[in-house]
Amino acid sequence: MRTDIATVLPIPSRVTSRHDVAPRARVRLEPTRRGRLLITALAFVLGLLVAGAVLLSVDLPALAGTESEQPVTITVEAGDTLWGFAEQYAPEGVSAQEFITEVRVHNQLPTGRVTAGQEIELPFLEDAAR
């Protein structure tokens, strides 16, 4: 059996001590064009989500319409008349007779009589809003 001898050379070491190493220069990372587009798209989507959450959580009358544009539902009590409702709810510039006629048409009432417990809607009149 034959045995050969091999010579092992030491691996040179670059670092002899910690103090001899020069500090690494600061590396400044800049996004590529694709990276900038991705960041912009993410910011845009995040902005849309925040705007949507704000619009859903905040009651804005300018976007939803004013409350006076919605018809008012009233339950008739004893002694109530359409004339009384006209005096109380008719918009400025609309006569009581016009208001009563509009209420009758809107609620499909055959006469001007209402009974206690009956529910009627008082419509919003566009002519008076202008």
Side-chain angles (χ1 to χ4, degrees):
M1 185 179 242
R2 189 175 153 173
T3 308
D4 290 327
I5 298 176
T7 306
V8 178
L9 299 173
I11 299 175
S13 175
R14 291 177 45 173
V15 179
T16 55
S17 74
R18 219 174 232 195
H19 300 294
D20 294 341
V21 178
R24 186 174 169 193
R26 280 187 113 21
V27 177
R28 184 169 183 219
L29 298 176
E30 293 185 22
T32 61
R33 183 170 188 261
R34 183 184 296 172
R36 287 190 304 267
L37 286 173
L38 180 66
I39 291 171
T40 303
L42 287 174
F44 181 73
V45 169
L46 182 63
L48 285 177
L49 290 174
V50 169
V54 167
L55 287 176
L56 289 175
S57 65
V58 176
D59 184 25
L60 298 175
L63 296 176
T66 59
E67 302 234 353
S68 63
E69 291 178 4
Q70 303 298 325
V72 177
T73 302
I74 294 180
T75 302
V76 179
E77 296 179 5
D80 286 343
T81 63
L82 289 180
W83 284 100
F85 292 138
E87 291 172 1
Q88 186 176 1
Y89 294 102
E92 222 174 285
V94 176
S95 71
Q97 184 64 42
E98 291 173 321
F99 186 77
I100 291 171
T101 303
E102 188 65 31
V103 169
R104 285 182 59 199
V105 168
H106 186 76
N107 291 288
Q108 300 171 352
L109 299 174
T111 65
R113 291 185 171 241
V114 289
T115 57
Q118 183 179 5
E119 287 190 0
I120 60 171
E121 281 190 1
L122 302 180
F124 172 73
L125 300 177
E126 288 115 17
D127 297 340
R130 293 179 193 160

